[in-house]
Amino acid sequence: MLRRLTMKALQKVSKFLSDYTSIVVIAIAVVTFLVPNLMAWVNQMLFVDPVSNKFTCQSIIIGIIMFSMGLTLTTQDFKILAQRPFDICVGAIAQYLIMPFLAFGISKALNLPDGIALGLILVGCCPGGVSSNIMSYLCGGDVAFSVGMTTVSTLLSPFMTPLLVSLLASGTHVSIKALPMFVSIIETVIFPVAVGFLLNYLLGKKKAFAEAQKVMPGIAVLGLAFVVGGVVSSQGSKFFTSGVVIFAAVLLHNGLGYLLGYGAGKLVGMDTAKKRTISIEVGMQNAGLATNLATTTAQFASTPESAIICAVSCTWHSISGTLLAGAFALKDKMAAKKAEEAAETKTA
């Protein structure tokens, strides 16, 4: 009885955290900015892997977030992907064309310093974030399509992220090697997702496991907040000394990502639900992963400022995604109300 009540309480907390993701992330960021030592533990180094990447507490947190995503995946999701190759193909192409090259273009247009430009390009080259699935659900998007896009972009990330960063950042004075980034993504993304999927496949029908799954969204939100907190702890003092240009770059990158993602869906004739989904999926990057790569991958050690723009992106994507999902939902509500009033007028 006590166990059941505890589980119900945890599920309520998880739902609260999911409903107020942006508020939780901002709250942790603000408190950490005021008390930096509060989240210093996130950056504690645990060990160094064979390719010289630092494995920190943050790496573990990213792994937990990706594990929570893996727990939502079923064989049915992969069947859906197999049945909708065109949609997923368009989504993957949009993901790895729009955001990386948009980041590159904004970096040049705003004449960003090398380290900051590298951070923005890194964010653009990362796969879609787990929170985009939640946002797609909230705004009446196509959730299966969202999960499919996130899954495929994540599976492609060990190859696409290092490749695109190496290509687009070649003009900076930083030498980018693909192998350390590839290994880091395998360690913190692919492996946890695979373990989560395997557990869901083996235990998904058990009631206790299904109950425990409902707690994971809240854990993922806390994980995201801790990742942001960790970067604010180490880089927060530099946020405002780096200038308004960082915030302008993040706003432009994210906002244009939403717009161009929606445009890509419209271009190939997707319905409203899919257009909303691809918009959110393209615009909301896994900036938490970018932050982890910027602070733990060996070659980024010479450009610690790249983590600053990753951290700002991590925070802002959660806020803007929530706002956009709310705007889409409000539009549907107003349309439904207008249709209801029209029906009543016609009847009268």
Side-chain angles (χ1 to χ4, degrees), residues 123-188:
V123 170
C125 296
C126 278
V130 185
S131 50
S132 61
N133 305 146
I134 300 169
M135 302 311 169
S136 294
Y137 170 74
L138 292 176
C139 73
D142 188 325
V143 179
F145 179 36
S146 177
V147 171
M149 275 189 68
T150 302
T151 304
V152 170
S153 66
T154 300
L155 292 174
L156 289 173
S157 62
F159 308 98
M160 295 303 296
T161 300
L163 178 68
L164 286 167
V165 171
S166 299
L167 173 69
L168 298 176
S170 59
T172 66
H173 300 296
V174 181
S175 175
I176 297 296
K177 297 175 184 176
L179 182 62
M181 218 182 303
F182 177 87
V183 172
S184 184
I185 293 172
I186 291 289
E187 290 170 341
T188 58

Side-chain angles (χ1 to χ4, degrees), residues 21-34:
T21 300
S22 57
I23 294 173
V24 173
V25 171
I26 293 169
I28 293 286
V30 170
V31 172
T32 306
F33 186 77
L34 298 173

Side-chain angles (χ1 to χ4, degrees), residues 64-84:
I64 291 170
I65 294 171
M66 299 316 296
F67 172 72
S68 72
M69 177 187 148
L71 286 176
T72 68
L73 298 176
T74 65
T75 51
Q76 186 59 32
D77 291 319
F78 290 100
K79 286 178 184 175
I80 289 170
L81 296 188
Q83 292 165 3
R84 301 163 66 175

